[in-house]
Amino acid sequence: MPDIDLLRSFVSVVDAGGFTRASERVHRTQSTVSQQIRKLEERLGCALFRREGRKALLTEDGERLLGYARRILALSNELTDTVGKGAHAEAVRLGLPDDLAVPALTEIVGAFARSRPDVRLSVCCDLSYRLRSALAQGDLDLALLKREPDGGPGIAAWPERLHWVGEPTALPVGDDAVPLVMRPAGCLYRERAIHALERAGRRWRIVYESPNLPGIQAALRGGLGVSVLDEHGMEGWEAPCPIVDDAFPPIEPTELALIAHHEAPDSAHDMAAILRRFCDRQRGAAALLAAQAAATTGMGKPLAAAPL
């Protein structure tokens, strides 16, 4: 294939209408441009221009070449822009629990991506124990995940209040086993629920299992069983999410933690600062909701989710 530089000079002569103006466009002397065109003609074995006075007109072979030359140059520019920018862009791999991929948080992450074209952002939503493993293995730079309180170092941590939730029709009768709607094994909320029931001597059985929050919410709305959720997990219900704490043993709180890998790039810490402000607002909203609930609803009454 002809040299890209030769094709660029050829297209410049066509667009400028002559060798003199083309030399100004490519910042070379007229003789250099003429030499490049001759070299291109020698490689292709055909004449590309015919002269009429000071004008350089395309031959039939030149017209055939022009379309190919423009496409080749366009692809060359696209390759340089794409690969060159990608090579210098800093990657940030962010992990989020699926029940925190709420619209407000998604908008914040999207705004960060738009404001930082120098950063290639990728987001993974998954169960917290998987996010923790990915972070430890270096597959994530930053993660917002659920964990035990005081579960180790991190950029910031916020307490989570957990509730038993479910339709009243799903409550067990007498000594019947508690029907549980849960995420797969390894989920912290699942462990909390099972341990609380076993400490209280209550029997339980898993009636529905889903790896994502919408599946859990759908099963709860359908009255299949009860589950353990925090305020975020109780969002998106048409009516207030039924809290049934008074029917079951208390659930110990968990913690939402923001953690960065020890080799995370600077842009990941910039993202962390934005996430920390978001979670601070969520904690404030949750605290306000808790105060309102204590004053106006009492345990076991319907409670709305914290506003974003």
Side-chain angles (χ1 to χ4, degrees), residues 90-95 112 116 118-122 135 140-144 155 258-276:
E90 191 171 67
V92 174
R93 300 160 298 172
L94 171 65
F112 174 83
R116 294 291 300 273
D118 58 314
V119 174
R120 290 186 290 114
L121 178 65
S122 63
L135 189 67
L140 291 175
D141 300 303
L142 184 67
L144 195 59
I155 297 172
L258 181 61
I259 308 172
H261 190 267
H262 66 277
E263 295 182 351
D266 291 341
S267 51
H269 291 279
D270 295 339
M271 180 80 256
I274 296 174
L275 291 175
R276 180 170 186 166

Side-chain angles (χ1 to χ4, degrees), residues 183-241:
R183 288 183 170 86
C187 171
L188 183 58
Y189 291 2
R190 175 176 173 143
E191 294 175 357
R192 280 285 196 271
I194 292 174
H195 290 168
L197 291 173
E198 291 186 342
R199 282 197 304 269
R202 300 283 298 271
R203 295 186 302 117
W204 57 271
R205 61 190 178 93
I206 302 295
V207 298
Y208 188 95
E209 186 175 285
S210 174
N212 54 63
L213 179 60
I216 298 292
Q217 291 174 329
L220 292 175
R221 285 194 296 267
L224 294 181
V226 297
S227 190
V228 170
L229 298 175
D230 71 337
E231 280 81 4
H232 290 291
M234 296 187 296
E235 295 166 2
W237 293 64
E238 295 180 1
C241 179

Side-chain angles (χ1 to χ4, degrees), residues 78-98:
E78 180 181 334
L79 183 149
T80 300
D81 290 343
T82 303
V83 176
K85 289 180 180 178
H88 299 290
E90 191 171 67
V92 174
R93 300 160 298 172
L94 171 65
L96 297 175
D98 75 305

Side-chain angles (χ1 to χ4, degrees), residues 15 17 24 34 36 50 64 75 84 87 104 112 148 170 192 204 209 232 247 250 291 308:
D15 291 343
E24 297 172 356
S34 298
Q36 288 185 312
R50 56 185 175 83
R64 294 190 187 96
L75 285 172
F112 174 83
E148 295 285 350
R192 280 285 196 271
W204 57 271
E209 186 175 285
H232 290 291
L308 294 177

Side-chain angles (χ1 to χ4, degrees), residues 146-149 158-164 188-197 199-200 228-230 245 248-256:
K146 317 298 184 79
R147 70 179 186 181
E148 295 285 350
W158 304 266
E160 284 190 313
R161 291 193 314 138
L162 303 184
H163 298 282
W164 289 101
L188 183 58
Y189 291 2
R190 175 176 173 143
E191 294 175 357
R192 280 285 196 271
I194 292 174
H195 290 168
L197 291 173
R199 282 197 304 269
V228 170
L229 298 175
D230 71 337
D245 284 339
F248 298 97
I251 296 288
E252 295 180 2
T254 53
E255 180 175 270
L256 182 65

